[in-house]
Amino acid sequence: MTQDIFVTGAGIVSALGTGMEETLDALRGRRTGVGALRYLRTSHTEFPVGEVKMTCEEMMHLLHIPETDATTRTSLMGMLAVREAVGQARLTEAHGLRIALISGTTVGGMDRSEQYYLDFLTNDSKNAYIATHDCGTCTEMIADRFGLFSMVDTISTACSSAANAIMLGAMLVREGRADIAVAGGSECITKFHLNGFNTLMILDRALCRSFDATRAGLNLGEGAACVVLESARTYRRRGVEPLCRLAGCGNACDAYHQTATSPEGEGAYLAMTKALASAQLKPADIGYINAHGTGTLDNDLSEGVAIRRVFGDGIPPVSSTKAFTGHATSAAGGIEAVISLLALQHGFIPVNLHFSVPMPELHFAPATDETPPAPLRHVMSNSFGFGGNDTSLILSKI
């Protein structure tokens, strides 16, 4: 990157809880947020999921939104994450600055469309929710809640959406098109989601086991997370302290298949090497990799092969945190970037829960010890999407 980009705030809501403090406490305590399905109305209760432990009405109460307002679960979770990030970065005091909101989502307001579809067809009682369906509308609802943003954009690249939103936010700041960017993603679990992944036969009826020889699929999750990005000039002018530096970003698309990953991990390999080049770092500089690690047969093998291609015999500690949160799909890149930030700040490795049997095809095992072999200075976060749209971010200590 030609201009350093810094993280001055972050916000998160997931199956682990609401906010950075609850998230850190659950990670350090090795407590998963994945469990029996509770909030989504569906007959498929056999699948464990990582749900945010609140109803939409409870989130609306937290946000002081009247229950009569037409909102969606995706936008409500996004508002909670943005509220924490904006507060930490003191953006309400950022007068006269151009602030962009970039959010990643794929299902958008599908939860309300599913819930009220028959009403749409037979009566006019829920017509206000028709306009909440689009992905972009969810981002606009988040933006409207705060009234801070002069630019709003939505990214939809499946499971790399939030990571790509962060990458775009950094580009806007670096190129002078925005002074500050709030970037991440939000995604709720829907029947559309659950049934779609079930049709692909990649859901596990037990708790997921990323990078384990016995892995049988993923557990879906939901949530939202974002980071505040700005230059040194801007944060110094505002008198705030940075949390870390967004040192590098890399995106590649191998277009190998609509859903399957390349056996050689080509897209993942390219994304990681591009991120390293962007950060002007060597593979040996990375102290921890927060892997995409979905727990599916293909992804974990493909990503493991790509990691070996990039890092050779010097592979740093690797873990997937999806056993904590579930796979939050479009929001995963934001959630895992914030988890990577917490790891960097507090000097620990989020462990790879439920791991027991090494994959014979790989020459490394995921981390089960939270103590890093050396103080963390650079952390890589991987987010890989359908169609081979793969993104890697690198966060570094100041």
Side-chain angles (χ1 to χ4, degrees):
M1 290 187 175
T2 55
Q3 177 179 224
D4 285 346
I5 304 297
F6 296 87
V7 176
T8 57
I12 185 170
V13 55
S14 74
L16 295 181
T18 301
M20 302 270 278
E21 187 175 339
E22 289 185 11
T23 302
L24 177 63
D25 187 61
L27 290 168
R28 300 303 296 262
R30 304 190 182 194
R31 296 190 305 274
T32 181
V34 177
L37 194 147
R38 177 179 172 187
Y39 296 98
L40 181 66
R41 299 173 187 173
T42 175
S43 59
H44 285 298
T45 57
E46 69 270 26
F47 296 113
V49 293
E51 290 178 296
V52 170
K53 308 301 188 290
M54 284 185 283
T55 64
C56 290
E57 290 71 26
E58 288 169 332
M59 284 189 263
M60 292 174 78
H61 178 73
L62 275 178
L63 292 160
H64 308 292
I65 297 174
E67 289 191 12
T68 54
D69 283 10
T71 58
T72 65
R73 192 167 177 86
T74 295
S75 62
L76 290 168
M77 293 187 298
M79 291 174 196
L80 288 171
V82 170
R83 184 175 72 171
E84 182 180 24
V86 162
Q88 186 176 35
R90 294 178 12 211
L91 288 194
T92 53
E93 304 169 19
H95 303 299
L97 294 176
R98 299 163 301 158
I99 307 175
L101 175 66
I102 315 296
S103 184
T105 188
T106 301
V107 301
M110 179 66 78
D111 64 313
R112 296 303 199 187
S113 297
E114 292 174 346
Q115 186 177 353
Y116 298 130
Y117 179 68
L118 295 179
D119 294 292
F120 297 163
L121 294 179
T122 59
N123 61 71
D124 295 330
S125 64
K126 302 297 182 183
N127 282 7
Y129 289 95
I130 295 174
T132 68
H133 177 85
D134 291 348
C135 293
T137 301
C138 287
T139 307
E140 289 169 0
M141 285 193 288
I142 297 168
D144 290 345
R145 186 68 192 161
F146 297 93
L148 293 170
F149 303 106
S150 57
M151 174 183 176
V152 175
D153 200 2
T154 303
I155 300 290
S156 189
T157 56
C159 304
S160 59
S161 297
N164 281 333
I166 292 171
M167 187 172 178
L168 176 57
M171 291 170 61
L172 292 173
V173 173
R174 188 173 66 247
E175 294 172 5
R177 296 178 62 188
D179 298 308
I180 299 171
V182 179
S186 184
E187 192 97 299
C188 71
I189 299 175
T190 64
K191 289 187 284 188
F192 168 80
H193 238 148
L194 195 68
N195 294 344
F197 280 90
N198 188 30
T199 300
L200 292 171
M201 297 184 291
I202 55 174
L203 292 180
D204 196 340
R205 298 186 183 217
L207 297 178
C208 74
R209 302 167 301 287
S210 302
F211 297 108
D212 194 287
T214 69
R215 69 196 184 283
L218 60 86
N219 303 144
L220 273 178
E222 64 178 1
C226 61
V227 293
V228 178
L229 305 170
E230 55 187 304
S231 68
R233 178 184 60 82
T234 305
Y235 82 68
R236 286 170 182 155
R237 169 182 163 186
R238 299 198 307 112
V240 299
E241 291 296 323
L243 305 176
C244 73
R245 185 165 59 91
L246 179 62
C249 309
N251 171 264
C253 186
D254 63 17
Y256 171 77
H257 187 271
Q258 284 183 317
T259 57
T261 53
S262 160
E264 300 80 21
E266 188 65 19
Y269 168 81
L270 290 172
M272 287 187 280
T273 53
K274 285 183 175 183
L276 287 165
S278 170
Q280 298 182 334
L281 294 173
K282 303 183 296 293
D285 294 323
I286 302 298
Y288 164 58
I289 302 171
N290 186 291
H292 189 56
T294 61
T296 60
L297 294 176
D298 288 346
N299 175 90
D300 291 7
L301 178 57
S302 175
E303 185 173 9
V305 168
I307 288 171
R308 182 63 186 269
R309 288 178 65 188
V310 175
F311 292 90
D313 294 328
I315 297 173
V318 177
S319 74
S320 168
T321 48
K322 288 183 171 64
F324 281 100
T325 63
H327 187 357
T329 54
S330 291
I335 289 171
E336 289 157 23
V338 172
I339 288 174
S340 297
L341 168 60
L342 288 170
L344 191 66
Q345 283 185 304
H346 297 276
F348 77 104
I349 305 294
V351 299
N352 201 100
L353 289 179
H354 315 314
F355 172 78
S356 60
V357 184
M359 291 173 57
E361 305 93 336
L362 300 183
H363 299 281
F364 68 92
T368 55
D369 182 354
E370 72 166 28
T371 304
L376 294 180
R377 294 182 58 239
H378 308 284
V379 170
M380 177 179 283
S381 179
N382 288 340
S383 300
F384 303 149
F386 279 169
N389 192 308
D390 299 336
T391 298
S392 296
L393 307 176
I394 297 175
L395 302 177
S396 298
K397 283 229 172 197
I398 304 299

